């Protein structure tokens, strides 16, 4: 059985998916690529928008999302966070 | 006032420098924990940050006390206000004990599965009350802090067995030496050599913690 992803891993996955799509992605793609339920995805996206990691764009065709420089910085720092968690015994 | 240590005369001054050094290392770890908390919003990072900050404040208080007392006693041509020095020393000694026990209890709490704030308050308060109401306060302080450090080092040993991560091993050795230092301080009320040996153990322990932090910063 696959181990349940941690909160940080889910955030990394969502940001990576958006970044890999050259910055703009529809919510259905995020849902599919990040392997989350719809309510969970909504919750995470709301948090990421609130923190300034992701921007929501509203157009006639629907919503799209892009990663902000702060979100890209988070991805770069993700490794440091994981290294810190492992070294200092945090789950 | 309770006798905490018998200090070898030749070591006086070096101990203050070492305690400032320990305070700086624990402060650095605390600040980095808060930085990681800002990025990750993990409660554990915040708990770790508060734990190390409390320990850092414990060391800084003790160093400040030692500097103050030695400056008062060495001041030439001044009548020493002994009662004032004693009361300030008592206050600072209690602050030192409070910060160190609260810090160690916070780190021990971090290793437990419970994340309830009430259980945290109970855990820290009980640890402090044991020292406050003990007849031999210095002994109680060393026993409680050694016991709490033992919980922390067991956590790191279990984690290392599971993950085999180098940083976790460094932190295990860090807490092992801090634990050994705390145990050795139990005997520092009997013989001055233990005060020196306890500091050496702590120095090795905090150097391991610093190495772990540096390996995170380099990654």
């Amino acid at each position: 059985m696959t181990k349940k992803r941690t909160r940080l891993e889910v955030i990394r996955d969502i940001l990576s998916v958006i970044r890999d799509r050259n910055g703009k992605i529809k919510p259905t793609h995020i849902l599919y690529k990040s392997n989350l339920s719809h309510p969970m995805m909504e919750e995470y996206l709301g948090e990421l928008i609130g923190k300034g990691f992701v921007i929501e764009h509203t157009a006639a065709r629907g919503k799209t999302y892009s990663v902000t420089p702060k979100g890209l910085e988070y991805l770069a720092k993700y490794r440091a966070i994981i290294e810190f968690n492992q070294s200092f015994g945090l789950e | 006032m309770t006798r905490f240590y018998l200090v070898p005369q030749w070591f006086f001054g070096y101990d203050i420098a070492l305690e400032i050094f320990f305070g700086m290392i624990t402060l650095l770890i605390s600040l980095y924990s808060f930085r990681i908390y800002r990025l990750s919003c993990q409660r554990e990072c915040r708990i770790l940050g508060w734990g190390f900050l409390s320990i850092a404040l414990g060391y800084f208080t003790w160093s400040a006390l030692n500097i103050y007392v030695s400056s008062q006693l060495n001041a030439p041509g001044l009548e020493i206000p002994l009662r004032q020095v004693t009361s300030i020393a008592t206050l600072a000694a209690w602050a030192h004990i409070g910060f160190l026990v609260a810090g160690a209890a916070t780190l021990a709490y971090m290793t437990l599965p419970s994340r309830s704030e009430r259980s945290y308050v109970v855990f820290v308060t009980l640890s402090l009350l044991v020292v406050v109401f003990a007849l031999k306060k210095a002994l109680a302080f060393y026993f409680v802090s050694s016991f709490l450090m033992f919980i922390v080092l067991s956590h790191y040993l279990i984690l290392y067995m599971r993950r085999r991560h180098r940083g976790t091993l460094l932190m295990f050795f860090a807490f092992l030496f801090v634990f050994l230092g705390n145990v050795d301080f139990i005997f520092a009320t009997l013989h001055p050599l233990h005060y020196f040996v306890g500091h050496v153990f702590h120095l090795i322990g905090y150097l391991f913690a610093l190495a772990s932090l540096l390996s995170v910063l380099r990654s």
Side-chain angles (χ1 to χ4, degrees), chain B residues 69-138:
Chain B
V69 170
S70 61
S71 69
Q72 290 296 309
L73 295 176
N74 293 329
L78 283 174
E79 193 184 322
I80 305 163
L82 199 57
R83 188 174 290 175
Q84 187 192 331
V85 172
T86 310
S87 57
I88 289 174
T90 309
L91 197 72
W94 274 112
H96 165 71
I97 289 173
F99 281 130
L100 282 191
V101 171
T106 306
L107 294 183
Y109 170 78
M110 185 202 74
T111 68
L112 304 176
S114 168
R115 286 292 172 265
S116 146
E117 281 180 14
R118 280 175 64 190
S119 58
Y120 170 70
V121 171
V122 169
F123 196 68
V124 174
T125 311
L126 277 179
S127 307
L128 288 168
L129 286 179
V130 167
V131 180
V132 170
F133 290 107
L135 282 176
K136 296 196 170 190
K137 296 188 195 317

Side-chain angles (χ1 to χ4, degrees), chain B residues 4-36:
Chain B
F4 285 94
Y5 308 109
L6 285 173
V7 186
Q9 203 155 10
W10 60 269
F11 192 55
F12 192 76
Y14 294 110
D15 58 341
I16 299 174
L18 280 174
E19 275 150 18
I20 292 171
F21 182 61
F22 302 156
M24 282 164 70
I25 291 174
T26 45
L27 183 66
L28 274 178
I29 296 173
S30 157
L31 293 177
Y32 197 73
S33 305
F34 287 130
R35 194 171 163 222
I36 294 289

Side-chain angles (χ1 to χ4, degrees), chain A:
Chain A
M1 195 179 145
T2 321
K3 198 185 151 218
K4 194 180 162 209
R5 284 179 297 173
T6 62
R7 213 175 139 273
L8 288 178
E9 284 167 338
V10 174
I11 290 173
R12 177 206 57 191
D13 289 348
I14 294 173
L15 290 175
S16 305
V17 163
I18 303 174
R19 183 198 56 191
D20 294 347
R21 279 294 181 112
N22 293 325
K24 282 208 172 178
I25 191 168
K26 289 181 177 177
T28 44
H29 284 105
I30 299 175
L31 196 67
Y32 167 68
K33 293 274 185 183
S34 61
N35 198 20
L36 287 169
S37 66
H38 190 264
M40 288 295 282
M41 185 199 72
E42 289 283 331
E43 191 187 317
Y44 274 105
L45 275 178
E47 191 185 332
L48 291 176
I49 292 166
K51 282 183 184 299
F53 288 176
V54 167
I55 298 177
E56 188 180 72
H57 308 274
T58 314
R61 284 183 163 185
K63 287 176 186 172
T64 56
Y65 297 92
S66 61
V67 186
T68 63
K70 197 176 169 187
L72 291 173
E73 194 185 326
Y74 178 87
L75 275 175
K77 285 177 179 167
Y78 175 80
R79 195 181 151 81
I81 296 171
I82 295 301
E83 188 66 27
F84 181 82
N85 281 355
Q86 289 184 332
S87 292
F88 286 86
L90 310 177
E91 292 298 333

Side-chain angles (χ1 to χ4, degrees), chain B residues 146-176:
Chain B
S146 303
F147 172 70
L148 292 169
M149 277 301 138
F150 182 75
I151 295 176
V152 179
L153 80 92
S154 320
H155 167 75
Y156 281 94
L157 180 63
I158 293 164
L159 267 187
Y160 177 70
M161 305 287 264
R162 209 188 311 159
R163 292 178 180 169
R164 299 277 166 190
H165 188 271
R166 187 175 158 269
T168 316
L169 184 65
L170 288 174
M171 285 312 290
F172 163 70
F173 280 122
F175 284 112
L176 175 68

